[in-house]
Amino acid sequence: MEFALILVIFAGTFLLAALVVLVVSFVQSRLGTAAPVPETAAGFEESEVGPLLREDSLSSISLWQALLRRLDLIDKLKQRMDEADLQWSVGRVTLTMLLLGGLFFALLQDSRLLPPGAGLGGFVLGAWLPYWLIGRKRQRRREQFEAQFPDALESLARMMRAGHPLASAFEVLGAEVPAPLGAEFRRMADERRLGAPLDEVMESFVARVRVDEVRLFVAATLLQARTGGRLTEVLERLAETLRESAALRGEVRALSAQGKMTGTVLTLLPLGIATMLYVTAPDFLSVLFRHAYGKYMIWAGIACVLTGHLVIQRIVKVRI
């Protein structure tokens, strides 16, 4: 019975999302702000464009793909997935979000300990989980890039000083540098081998890896290609600057670790006190479960604790 209820909720959620997409697309078309049709490459007809130039499929389900293409937010989600180096399709991710949202809604809707509207909050939480996991993987990948990039720049400078052209140096780095940076260098080498201009290769690199260090490297490379100059010296100085910046970020993390630990302790302290009271004096807290407004007070306290934790984490977070 519960499984059938979950299926019904998921189907209803899917149909509701499809209806919302259709309404939004209708409003956009009426306002004249519909998403532009992507142009084909270099004047070729769409049927003549090779598979390397075609746009990636958003979903294997044609109906769901047609609905997703009408939303502008899907482009941001796809870009976020590309930055996280995930091979999932946008359609699979969005359907997973709807499925988890419907599952959380079904589990929390009929709970007596939760206040009204908990099912809607559970749907939002379940739909947000895949997006949060993608963001975590994207952040870890960016941190790996920042750690690998100074050494890769020094290696690139040494190879160019030894006489290697830029495309050949990219290929060597792609074979020697571990993932994720090595895969990006291999991709740039393949694009240059296929005849792509250096400007397009570098702009594509910046679009895939949104890291400040990469922007500096691309700007220096393109400036040297247009005006000339000693790129090796620029790369060596850039690598040294990036190492100093990484050391400064490490010091800031060490100094802010105490504040983060304090926020974590203050967040867990009310839970610990409530657990101790429930073990030593259960009648003291049981009134919250028996009283009609007890569950509202419990969830209000949890919301206040979580809000305080987020505020503390925001205060101790220092950006450089």
Side-chain angles (χ1 to χ4, degrees), residues 182-224:
E184 294 296 335
F185 277 121
R186 286 195 300 271
R187 184 168 180 175
M188 287 193 292
D190 293 339
E191 290 176 353
R192 289 291 292 165
R193 192 183 302 111
L194 292 174
L198 182 61
D199 295 354
E200 294 183 4
V201 172
M202 290 298 178
E203 290 175 0
S204 177
F205 183 37
V206 172
R208 293 192 305 270
V209 185
R210 295 184 175 272
V211 180
D212 295 336
E213 289 82 352
V214 173
R215 294 190 181 95
L216 294 175
F217 163 69
V218 169
T221 304
L222 294 181
L223 183 62
Q224 186 273 342

Side-chain angles (χ1 to χ4, degrees), residues 249-262:
R249 285 197 298 268
E251 293 180 2
V252 171
R253 291 194 189 100
L255 294 175
S256 61
Q258 181 180 0
K260 293 180 180 179
M261 181 60 67
T262 302

Side-chain angles (χ1 to χ4, degrees), residues 81-142:
M81 293 171 57
D82 292 338
E83 294 176 6
D85 194 24
L86 293 176
Q87 304 301 324
W88 305 340
S89 65
V90 177
R92 183 179 301 177
V93 173
T94 51
L95 288 176
T96 302
M97 295 170 68
L98 291 177
L99 178 60
L100 290 178
L103 180 62
F104 276 61
F105 179 84
L107 293 176
L108 300 180
Q109 179 64 22
D110 296 332
S111 178
R112 297 180 179 180
L113 297 178
L114 299 177
L120 181 59
F123 176 81
V124 175
L125 177 61
W128 175 74
L129 279 178
Y131 188 81
W132 176 77
L133 291 176
I134 292 173
R136 291 288 297 176
K137 185 173 178 58
R138 170 173 170 262
Q139 182 61 30
R140 286 196 298 267
R141 190 167 182 261
R142 291 185 62 177

Side-chain angles (χ1 to χ4, degrees), residues 44-292:
F44 290 97
E45 297 295 334
E46 185 176 358
S47 59
E48 299 177 358
V49 179
L52 293 178
L53 299 178
R54 290 176 183 170
E55 188 177 358
D56 295 335
S57 176
L58 297 178
S59 175
S60 58
I61 304 175
S62 58
L63 176 60
W64 190 240
Q65 175 171 288
L67 294 175
L68 291 178
R69 289 188 184 279
R70 296 176 178 271
L71 285 182
D72 297 335
L73 296 177
I74 297 302
D75 296 334
K76 297 182 180 180
L77 178 60
K78 187 175 185 303
Q79 180 180 355
R80 194 177 184 89
M81 293 171 57
D82 292 338
E83 294 176 6
D85 194 24
L86 293 176
Q87 304 301 324
W88 305 340
S89 65
V90 177
R92 183 179 301 177
V93 173
T94 51
L95 288 176
T96 302
M97 295 170 68
L98 291 177
L99 178 60
L100 290 178
L103 180 62
F104 276 61
F105 179 84
L107 293 176
L108 300 180
Q109 179 64 22
D110 296 332
S111 178
R112 297 180 179 180
L113 297 178
L114 299 177
L120 181 59
F123 176 81
V124 175
L125 177 61
W128 175 74
L129 279 178
Y131 188 81
W132 176 77
L133 291 176
I134 292 173
R136 291 288 297 176
K137 185 173 178 58
R138 170 173 170 262
Q139 182 61 30
R140 286 196 298 267
R141 190 167 182 261
R142 291 185 62 177
E143 292 175 356
Q144 292 176 351
F145 269 111
E146 293 174 354
Q148 291 177 328
F149 206 60
D151 294 335
L153 288 182
E154 283 192 350
S155 300
L156 181 63
R158 287 195 296 267
M159 283 187 287
M160 295 187 65
R161 194 182 295 275
H164 286 275
L166 190 60
S168 176
F170 285 164
E171 187 172 357
V172 174
L173 286 176
E176 295 180 354
V177 177
L181 186 57
E184 294 296 335
F185 277 121
R186 286 195 300 271
R187 184 168 180 175
M188 287 193 292
D190 293 339
E191 290 176 353
R192 289 291 292 165
R193 192 183 302 111
L194 292 174
L198 182 61
D199 295 354
E200 294 183 4
V201 172
M202 290 298 178
E203 290 175 0
S204 177
F205 183 37
V206 172
R208 293 192 305 270
V209 185
R210 295 184 175 272
V211 180
D212 295 336
E213 289 82 352
V214 173
R215 294 190 181 95
L216 294 175
F217 163 69
V218 169
T221 304
L222 294 181
L223 183 62
Q224 186 273 342
R226 294 171 183 171
T227 62
R230 296 182 178 180
L231 182 59
T232 56
E233 295 182 0
V234 175
L235 294 179
E236 290 174 353
R237 293 179 182 177
L238 180 59
E240 183 179 357
T241 303
L242 294 182
R243 281 201 177 89
E244 294 177 355
S245 177
L248 180 60
R249 285 197 298 268
E251 293 180 2
V252 171
R253 291 194 189 100
L255 294 175
S256 61
Q258 181 180 0
K260 293 180 180 179
M261 181 60 67
T262 302
T264 303
V265 171
L266 293 177
T267 302
L268 297 178
L269 188 60
L271 179 61
I273 294 175
T275 304
M276 293 175 60
L277 287 175
Y278 186 78
V279 173
T280 58
D283 295 336
F284 188 78
L285 291 180
S286 60
V287 65
L288 293 176
F289 299 99
R290 295 194 305 264
H291 199 274

